[in-house]
Amino acid sequence: MSMLNERPRDGWRETIEQGIRAARGYRRLTGGQGTQEERVSALRRALDEADAVVIGAGAGLSTAAGFTYSGERFERYFGDFACAFGIADIYSGGFYPFPDNETRWAWWARHIYYNRYVPAPKPTYARLLALVEDKDYFVVTTNVDHQFQLAGFDKARLFYTQGDYGLFQCEDGHINETFNNETWVMRAMEAQGFVRDENGIFQVPENDGLAMRLPAGFVPTCPVDGSPVVMNLRADDSFVEDDGWRRASAAYAAFLDAHEQGRVLYLELGVGANTPVIVKYPFWQMTQANSEATYACINLGEAFCPNEIASRSVCIDADIAGVLDDLLEARHDCEA
């Protein structure tokens, strides 16, 4: 068959199918052995010795970087919505039945801006990059906040499986394209009364005079046919996998093919129980299939692995940011 007629690889579906098949055989899990210090040392050795690193990142990584969806950050930027509608946090606000589109999109402009166009409060992503930038690495993530690129990770080595807060798509997915929303978001933030600080970041004005409803004509629509748009976030079959998504999926498959054998570190960071088939299960299976591979999981409250790969795994039940700091400090001590 001609190469021109071959479909591009779909690393997302291929690895999910692989992981599901393998996960059915795992019956017993373990949190591993050794002290915290011993586990961090084992992970440092695995990083130093790895020929390639596959990073699988979930929401816990962004939480460790300071992207909390409740508390002070929520109250500062969404306090008016909390008072007016009883919304408890940023996540639940994304599902709230607002009274009209102008109010709904005022909320979403803030939701997008503070979770996509502003760097994370803590330098956790930058510290992760410092640990792997001299390695052959690839990142697969369910996060949609773009923090890997904002921290300087190579775009060609990133696969955002579940979408991107920075993209719109047609509501029902009938146009197989996505549309950059940055210009619209900035205009919508200004329209609500946010003001930029000395670093160019939108802040609440001193008089707290924010609007919770966009002016007429500000509701975003599809630039192709004027139809309603939604966020490009995977929720159902209407999710648009555009050309960029498909290229990243194929690049992920190619990277995995190139590193089926050898000293590969599968580094799982903050992946919870909601989407284990995208990262966790495939990482377990690929580690088991390669006798030289190491699986590592850093996750506060959810660090474990199957017994089958326990001897080649490092499970660290701790704050990701703190562990990355320890790894960098250990590297600096060795280089001194």
Side-chain angles (χ1 to χ4, degrees):
M1 180 183 294
S2 169
M3 292 293 289
L4 294 175
N5 295 325
E6 291 186 5
R7 294 174 60 86
R9 295 284 300 280
D10 187 344
W12 185 72
R13 288 177 175 83
E14 289 175 18
T15 53
I16 285 177
E17 291 169 1
Q18 180 185 42
I20 289 175
R21 289 195 300 269
R24 295 190 182 109
Y26 298 130
R27 293 293 181 266
R28 300 183 64 184
L29 304 176
T30 177
Q33 297 181 344
T35 66
Q36 176 83 350
E37 183 178 355
E38 290 170 338
R39 296 180 193 214
V40 172
S41 294
L43 179 52
R44 179 180 60 80
R45 288 193 300 272
L47 269 169
D48 289 344
E49 297 170 1
D51 299 317
V53 181
V54 187
I55 298 169
L61 178 59
S62 285
T63 300
F67 267 163
T68 54
Y69 272 31
S70 60
E72 191 275 335
R73 185 168 174 265
F74 169 67
E75 291 295 333
R76 187 194 320 166
Y77 300 123
F78 299 88
D80 49 354
F81 276 94
C83 290
F85 299 105
I87 297 172
D89 54 57
I90 299 175
Y91 179 78
S92 60
F95 301 95
Y96 189 86
F98 291 106
D100 51 60
N101 282 332
E102 287 78 9
T103 306
R104 180 166 70 95
W105 281 108
W107 166 277
W108 271 106
R110 300 187 198 184
H111 191 134
I112 298 165
Y113 179 76
Y114 288 113
N115 294 292
R116 167 61 169 78
Y117 291 109
V118 175
K122 300 178 182 178
T124 306
Y125 280 87
R127 289 172 180 168
L128 176 60
L129 177 60
L131 287 167
V132 302
E133 60 187 345
D134 60 344
K135 297 288 184 179
D136 191 7
Y137 72 83
F138 199 97
V139 175
V140 57
T141 181
T142 56
N143 295 344
V144 296
D145 53 27
H146 209 65
Q147 290 302 306
F148 281 102
Q149 275 184 255
L150 290 180
F153 281 79
D154 183 354
K155 182 179 179 179
R157 295 174 176 267
L158 301 175
F159 179 25
Y160 291 89
T161 64
Q162 308 301 83
D164 184 344
Y165 272 143
L167 299 175
F168 287 149
Q169 66 165 70
C170 290
E171 188 173 50
D172 60 3
H174 69 279
I175 294 177
N176 196 40
E177 295 181 49
T178 57
F179 312 101
N180 187 289
N181 63 27
E182 182 173 8
T183 298
W184 177 85
V185 168
M186 301 308 166
R187 292 179 59 236
M189 291 295 288
E190 291 176 348
Q192 292 179 72
F194 285 91
V195 295
R196 293 186 186 271
D197 63 17
E198 64 275 11
N199 297 314
I201 305 298
F202 280 116
Q203 301 291 352
V204 178
E206 292 184 4
N207 64 0
D208 291 333
L210 292 176
M212 289 188 292
R213 193 172 186 276
L214 294 178
F218 264 73
V219 173
T221 57
C222 173
V224 176
D225 63 2
S227 61
V229 297
V230 293
M231 302 302 302
N232 179 231
L233 305 176
R234 190 183 299 278
D236 53 34
D237 290 342
S238 68
F239 175 72
V240 171
E241 297 173 357
D242 64 6
D243 289 343
W245 188 96
R246 290 192 293 272
R247 284 193 299 270
S249 183
Y252 181 45
F255 189 89
L256 295 178
D257 283 351
H259 299 288
E260 284 185 317
Q261 301 300 319
R263 293 175 298 184
V264 182
L265 172 62
Y266 295 96
L267 179 58
E268 179 189 314
L269 302 170
V271 175
N274 289 335
T275 54
V277 296
I278 298 175
V279 174
K280 188 182 296 291
Y281 295 167
F283 277 19
W284 289 354
Q285 196 280 328
M286 288 183 279
T287 301
Q288 186 173 359
N290 175 6
S291 62
E292 294 184 273
T294 299
Y295 167 74
C297 174
I298 311 173
N299 199 344
L300 187 61
E302 295 187 58
F304 49 82
C305 68
N307 279 354
E308 289 85 345
I309 60 171
S311 63
R312 292 185 286 113
S313 297
V314 182
C315 299
I316 303 177
D317 183 351
D319 172 62
I320 296 171
V323 174
L324 297 182
D325 287 345
D326 291 343
L327 290 168
L328 280 174
E329 183 178 348
R331 172 175 290 183
H332 293 153
D333 289 343
C334 290
E335 293 172 349

